[in-house]
Amino acid sequence: MSSSRSGSSRAAAGGRRGDAGAARGADGAPPVAGPAGQDPLVPAAGGAGTPDTTTSTPDTLSAAGGAIAGAAPAPARSGSAPRGAARGAGSSRRSGQTPATPAASAPEPGAAGYLNLPGPEDPLWASIPLGLRQNLAMPAYQLVNPARGHLATPAGRKLKSALGAAARGKLTGTHWLALLTAPRAAFGGPTSQRAGQVYKALEQLVADHLRPALSAVAAAEFAAGVELAQAAPA
């Protein structure tokens, strides 16, 4: 009887030691490695449990880097021009083209307009009627005594000399050319009455004498040319 009870107790003790060993194997035994290259902390595909999110792999790092690069482009360096503008400037330099500049405005004509005036030695200047000369004399004298604005500068010295000759009634062909080709602004400001009177007297001289005289000269020269052409032998 005693031998059977001792055998039963030993079997029970052996069972308890077996259960304790199984428990240590489940809790304290080192994890068993899976297939080659498999992280032992990450369960295999299709296995139970959730993946360990604290472990980073090269694939996840490259994907995160691509998302960041697509979301926020690198800022441009300060002082750098846009790439399109830089390419355009480089192509224009290579082609040798220069930026277009606005054309300079034509100078304002004088009282004679665009008439083809003769040279200073032409007899036309001596044929100007006395009445037209006298209409110019008094306004010219008032404009240069004293001289103001452009007339008081070195650039206006030539025009001032011509006005002085007009005031004295002793005009040459050079004086007439200076008076008739100077723009209105050279005589004085737009509100100057004296400058306006001088310019008006010059315009009257052109309309009453100079234009008809030049037209007559041109007609005479044309007629002489026709006669010469007709008299030439065939």
Side-chain angles (χ1 to χ4, degrees):
M1 177 67 78
S2 61
S3 62
S4 62
R5 283 197 298 271
S6 61
S8 299
S9 61
R10 283 194 299 269
R16 286 193 296 271
R17 284 194 298 270
D19 292 341
R24 284 194 302 272
D27 297 337
V32 179
Q38 176 68 35
D39 191 342
L41 298 180
V42 180
T50 58
D52 188 359
T53 58
T54 61
T55 304
S56 299
T57 62
D59 294 339
T60 57
L61 291 176
S62 61
I68 294 175
R77 291 175 294 179
S78 59
S80 60
R83 293 183 178 178
R87 285 195 296 268
S91 61
S92 64
R93 287 194 297 268
R94 286 191 297 271
S95 61
Q97 296 178 354
T98 56
T101 56
S105 58
E108 179 186 355
Y114 296 101
L115 287 177
N116 188 15
L117 299 177
E121 303 300 331
D122 195 276
L124 176 66
W125 305 117
S127 65
I128 296 176
L130 180 60
L132 295 175
R133 294 171 181 260
Q134 290 177 347
N135 291 341
L136 181 63
M138 184 55 66
Y141 175 82
Q142 294 176 348
L143 189 58
V144 295
N145 291 285
R148 300 181 179 88
H150 175 72
L151 298 175
T153 64
R157 185 177 303 169
K158 184 177 180 180
L159 181 58
K160 179 184 176 182
S161 176
L163 288 168
R168 297 188 301 269
K170 298 181 179 181
L171 286 156
T172 64
T174 302
H175 294 145
W176 282 119
L177 289 172
L179 291 171
L180 294 171
T181 57
R184 168 62 180 82
F187 293 91
T191 60
S192 174
Q193 295 182 357
R194 296 177 181 180
Q197 290 175 356
V198 170
Y199 201 77
K200 185 177 180 180
L202 291 172
E203 289 178 332
Q204 184 180 358
L205 184 147
V206 171
D208 294 349
H209 176 73
L210 194 58
R211 193 182 299 277
L214 291 175
S215 298
V217 170
E221 290 177 351
F222 178 78
V226 171
E227 291 178 359
L228 290 174
Q230 291 175 353

